[in-house]
Amino acid sequence: MRRSRTTSLKLSTAAATLALLTSGIAFAAPASATTATATPAPARAWPEQCKSDGVNSRQVDLPGTRPTTWITGKNCVQLHQPQAPAWVSGRTAIDWDTMEEPITDRSKRFTSFKVTTRLESRPSQTGTDTVQSSRTCDFTANLNADFSGMNLYCYALPVDNPVDTILWWSTDATIVYDLEGDTQGPITWELEGSPQQV
């Protein structure tokens, strides 16, 4: 949908209600994206746009005999429009698996594993990104508890997409992890962002 330009962007006045789930983090839509009637209008949403699996993957070699771990991150962005104004959500999904069987060393593997997801906008397709919201999720306990897992989600706070603005939206993320016992300190991993959605 094409809209006239303005220079102002705002975070939703009631951005989101966040709740921890066993598989990650979930969110509710901004207050401005819901109706006050008992029978809200049917939701309209653009398809979610995600960076394809395998683009943001790496092999993590752990010290000693602890199993090598394959980790994948996937950034996704989506426009939603139950009614004007539209709103936007962004998430990062984390999957992981061990590359060695049988597992002989089950000791602690990660001192820290944190994902920071950023929901970003541009005034044009080739413009400069502006971070509209972000959230850091600590998945250290999840990766230490299981040798494989899927769909740990880190959601940035949803934001309004003003009806009088043309914006190109995307989701980006940074992972910072620290391996137990490797003495190298934290490692920063910048994931490739999602495709843009306008």
Side-chain angles (χ1 to χ4, degrees):
M1 179 183 296
R2 310 301 287 181
R3 308 178 179 103
S4 62
R5 297 181 184 274
T6 63
T7 57
S8 64
L9 291 171
K10 63 176 182 175
L11 288 173
S12 172
T13 54
T17 301
L18 294 171
L20 292 177
L21 300 176
T22 56
S23 61
I25 295 176
F27 66 90
S32 61
T34 61
T35 65
T37 64
T39 56
R44 175 188 173 194
W46 286 256
E48 186 177 49
Q49 298 290 317
C50 299
K51 180 62 72 172
S52 60
D53 290 337
V55 173
N56 290 316
S57 297
R58 69 169 46 180
Q59 175 179 307
V60 177
D61 297 315
L62 291 124
T65 57
R66 286 169 288 184
T68 300
T69 301
W70 186 260
I71 301 174
T72 298
K74 182 167 67 174
N75 288 318
C76 301
V77 65
Q78 187 170 17
L79 289 173
H80 309 263
Q81 192 179 18
Q83 66 175 31
W87 55 285
V88 189
S89 64
R91 68 182 175 95
T92 305
I94 302 295
D95 301 338
W96 73 102
D97 200 0
T98 56
M99 301 178 66
E100 300 165 13
E101 294 288 347
I103 298 170
T104 58
D105 186 344
R106 297 179 176 271
S107 59
K108 182 178 178 181
R109 290 165 291 142
F110 292 91
T111 301
S112 178
F113 190 100
K114 295 181 179 181
V115 180
T116 299
T117 301
R118 299 179 298 277
L119 187 55
E120 302 174 340
S121 67
R122 296 181 183 185
S124 66
Q125 192 170 13
T126 58
T128 301
D129 284 330
T130 298
V131 177
Q132 298 299 333
S133 74
S134 67
R135 183 171 179 82
T136 298
C137 305
D138 189 341
F139 293 143
T140 310
N142 303 82
L143 270 76
N144 280 327
D146 297 301
F147 288 95
S148 65
M150 296 178 63
N151 298 334
L152 283 179
Y153 295 124
C154 187
Y155 284 98
L157 289 172
V159 299
D160 286 343
N161 183 43
V163 295
D164 58 350
T165 304
I166 298 174
L167 293 173
W168 278 254
W169 293 92
S170 62
T171 301
D172 212 340
T174 302
I175 298 175
V176 179
Y177 63 91
D178 191 0
L179 302 180
E180 179 75 14
D182 74 340
T183 70
Q184 300 302 308
I187 297 167
T188 300
W189 177 15
E190 299 289 350
L191 299 185
E192 289 191 30
S194 71
Q196 291 180 345
Q197 205 169 54
V198 62

